[in-house]
Amino acid sequence: MINISQSFLKEFAEYNSGDTCGLQIKAKYIDGIKFPSSDAMELGNFFEYMATGCLPRDGHTPEAKIVYKGTAKESLSADYQRAVESAELFKKIIKHYDIEIIDTGRVVTEDGMTGIMDIVAKWDDRVCIIDTKYSGLINDRWSDYGWNLDMLPEKQNLLIQPVQYKILLSKELDCDPEDIDFYFFVFSSKEVMDVKLIKIKVDELTIANHLSSVEWVKTELQRPIDKVFKAKPELKRCFECPIKDECKFKIEVPNIDEITC
């Protein structure tokens, strides 16, 4: 049995919807295989490190990309220069709102659930969790990872995090989830001054539904692992998969799909 993180819950839901491969999830969360970070993820890691001092989960120190290295023009790449400026803006926001940072990178594990909280703080005499996001989709309406405010209430893959984190910290502090606030601080990776500070309110029904979902996942994980996590090969998915070289289910030509008209 693993401790269930919000990222595992999201990927397990995607798997049950047919949108990802069970063997990838097993490799990542059960077998502990580290998957490589994308360029966007590394940029986000660098921003968070510059803003809060937090290291990524694997403990490596993010490094900026340098252009014209070894020449008189040597400098940070434009993307990483913006990340540095966004990190400075983050610090300005913290000072402006008189936010007292208590902890960064706090790992909380309670009742079979776990989470790594970017920031635990005091703000207006209330305990709060602040999660920083560095995104190229800050105003996107349609992407599952877009931060358009009108569509955000429909983005359950984004909103599962505040629910789980409020539950976890309330259990650790022995208080009610409603006594803890949750904020997303979303910074655009394209434009330094495009920032959203979003307070997420979570009602009792949402918390109850989340806990029920976690219990269902726990029950599923008690079944034999090979019955829970099955291969779902698709050409693009297999081509990009970090574990494809050892996978006997990988495909190298597309499957044939059938529809009835």
Side-chain angles (χ1 to χ4, degrees):
M1 180 68 71
I2 64 169
N3 289 313
I4 297 169
S5 66
Q6 57 93 19
S7 57
F8 175 82
L9 285 174
K10 287 189 285 191
E11 292 198 45
F12 195 61
E14 289 175 359
Y15 164 62
N16 282 296
S17 298
D19 296 328
T20 193
C21 177
L23 299 188
Q24 288 185 346
I25 298 176
K26 175 180 177 293
K28 189 185 299 185
Y29 294 99
I30 306 296
D31 302 331
I33 295 174
K34 182 182 180 298
F35 280 36
S37 298
S38 66
D39 290 343
M41 291 168 64
E42 276 302 305
L43 182 59
N45 288 337
F46 177 78
F47 161 75
E48 186 172 342
Y49 175 65
M50 296 300 294
T52 70
C54 275
L55 296 174
R57 295 182 186 182
D58 63 6
H60 81 277
T61 301
E63 295 183 359
K65 285 189 176 179
I66 306 296
V67 294
Y68 302 112
K69 198 167 186 178
T71 73
K73 294 183 178 181
E74 180 174 311
S75 62
L76 295 179
S77 71
D79 286 344
Y80 279 79
Q81 180 60 42
R82 281 194 297 271
V84 169
E85 294 173 15
S86 292
E88 290 303 314
L89 179 56
F90 167 85
K91 295 172 184 177
K92 183 178 180 180
I93 292 167
I94 293 295
K95 183 177 180 180
H96 174 82
Y97 284 107
D98 195 25
I99 300 169
E100 177 191 353
I101 295 179
I102 299 170
D103 202 0
T104 58
R106 179 184 290 193
V107 180
V108 181
T109 302
E110 297 281 347
D111 296 341
M113 295 181 290
T114 192
I116 304 174
M117 300 174 189
D118 286 353
I119 298 166
V120 177
K122 273 284 191 74
W123 189 354
D124 292 335
D125 294 323
R126 287 180 60 85
V127 174
C128 69
I129 301 162
I130 298 172
D131 193 83
T132 60
K133 302 293 185 186
Y134 197 63
S135 173
L137 301 171
I138 192 167
N139 295 307
D140 189 286
R141 293 176 62 86
W142 309 117
S143 167
D144 289 343
Y145 296 95
W147 291 94
N148 175 272
L149 294 180
D150 291 336
M151 300 299 292
L152 189 56
E154 309 300 322
K155 308 284 181 72
Q156 293 307 307
N157 60 316
L158 294 177
L159 298 180
I160 194 172
Q161 184 178 12
V163 181
Q164 175 136 330
Y165 281 18
K166 281 169 66 77
I167 292 170
L168 282 168
L169 193 58
S170 69
K171 287 179 178 292
E172 183 178 84
L173 300 181
D174 193 23
C175 65
D176 292 329
E178 65 186 21
D179 294 329
I180 296 168
D181 295 328
F182 186 101
Y183 297 85
F184 283 120
F185 282 20
V186 188
F187 293 77
S188 171
S189 62
K190 305 299 182 184
E191 186 178 342
V192 173
M193 291 300 164
D194 197 358
V195 182
K196 293 178 179 176
L197 311 184
I198 308 169
K199 184 177 182 178
I200 304 295
K201 296 184 177 181
V202 180
D203 60 30
E204 292 183 1
L205 179 59
T206 301
I207 288 172
N209 288 340
H210 182 87
L211 291 172
S212 295
S213 296
V214 170
E215 290 305 313
W216 177 79
V217 171
K218 288 180 182 178
T219 301
E220 282 292 289
L221 294 179
Q222 291 175 359
R223 297 167 52 208
I225 289 297
D226 62 345
K227 301 293 184 184
V228 178
F229 299 105
K230 296 183 178 181
K232 293 188 178 180
E234 290 184 356
L235 183 61
K236 185 174 184 292
R237 184 182 296 158
C238 291
F239 179 75
E240 297 173 346
C241 180
I243 59 171
K244 63 176 179 287
D245 291 342
E246 294 80 32
C247 182
K248 65 181 181 180
F249 298 100
K250 69 180 179 183
I251 61 174
E252 296 180 342
V253 296
N255 291 319
I256 297 172
D257 297 315
E258 293 186 14
I259 62 170
T260 301
C261 60

